[in-house]
């Protein structure tokens, strides 16, 4: 259960390039396009006393039915929304988000 990995392409690129990638907890494949994935953030809804803390899990949308069989029913969101919540809950202001994107050439 470690779906957020750092992927390296040192063999194919000079200089080496490393970046985070998300791996599906069901099939093990990389979720290359965030539009194709969900993140599951809640506890198993079938548990009699669900904990307030739960691991974040990831799956391709096409793996959703297999995900529920394997991990139970959980609250989920479209994977494209996860960065927004991480930044917001991590204390970033609107300006800091814009500045961070601009610094990486991804400006709004
Ligand atoms: Zn998958």
């Amino acid at each position: 259960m470690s779906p957020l990995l750092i992927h390296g392409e040192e063999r194919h690129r000079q200089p080496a390039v490393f970046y985070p990638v998300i791996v599906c907890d069901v099939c093990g494949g990389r979720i290359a396009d965030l539009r194709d994935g969900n993140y599951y953030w809640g506890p198993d809804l079938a548990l009699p006393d669900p904990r307030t803390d739960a691991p974040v899990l990831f799956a391709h949308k096409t793996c959703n039915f297999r995900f529920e069989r394997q991990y139970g029913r959980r609250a989920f969101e479209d994977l494209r929304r996860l960065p927004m919540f991480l930044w917001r809950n991590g204390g970033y202001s609107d300006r800091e988000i814009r500045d961070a994107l601009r610094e990486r050439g991804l400006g709004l």
Side-chain angles (χ1 to χ4, degrees):
M1 191 187 320
S2 178
L4 187 57
L5 304 174
I6 300 299
H7 176 71
E9 294 189 355
E10 71 278 5
R11 280 182 272 156
H12 307 292
R13 295 185 185 194
Q14 291 298 326
V17 176
F18 297 93
Y19 50 89
V21 296
I22 296 174
V23 175
C24 177
D25 279 297
V26 176
C27 73
R30 178 178 165 193
I31 303 175
D33 187 330
L34 297 186
R35 290 174 290 202
D36 296 335
N38 290 324
Y39 74 97
Y40 300 78
W41 52 269
D44 184 342
L45 297 176
L47 293 175
D49 184 22
R51 296 170 295 158
T52 55
D53 293 333
V56 176
L57 301 170
F58 301 91
H60 291 105
K61 289 179 178 171
T62 55
C63 292
N64 185 55
F65 291 116
R66 288 173 52 205
F67 177 91
E68 288 190 0
R69 278 200 310 265
Q70 189 171 345
Y71 295 101
R73 286 188 53 229
R74 294 170 189 252
F76 66 93
E77 290 263 4
D78 185 293
L79 190 49
R80 289 174 292 180
R81 295 182 180 163
L82 181 58
M84 172 183 68
F85 288 123
L86 289 173
W87 282 17
R88 284 282 180 222
N89 294 336
Y92 269 68
S93 68
D94 290 347
R95 181 180 180 159
E96 289 170 320
I97 292 170
R98 276 194 302 274
D99 289 350
L101 289 170
R102 238 181 249 127
E103 286 173 14
R104 291 290 189 167
L106 304 169
L108 297 174

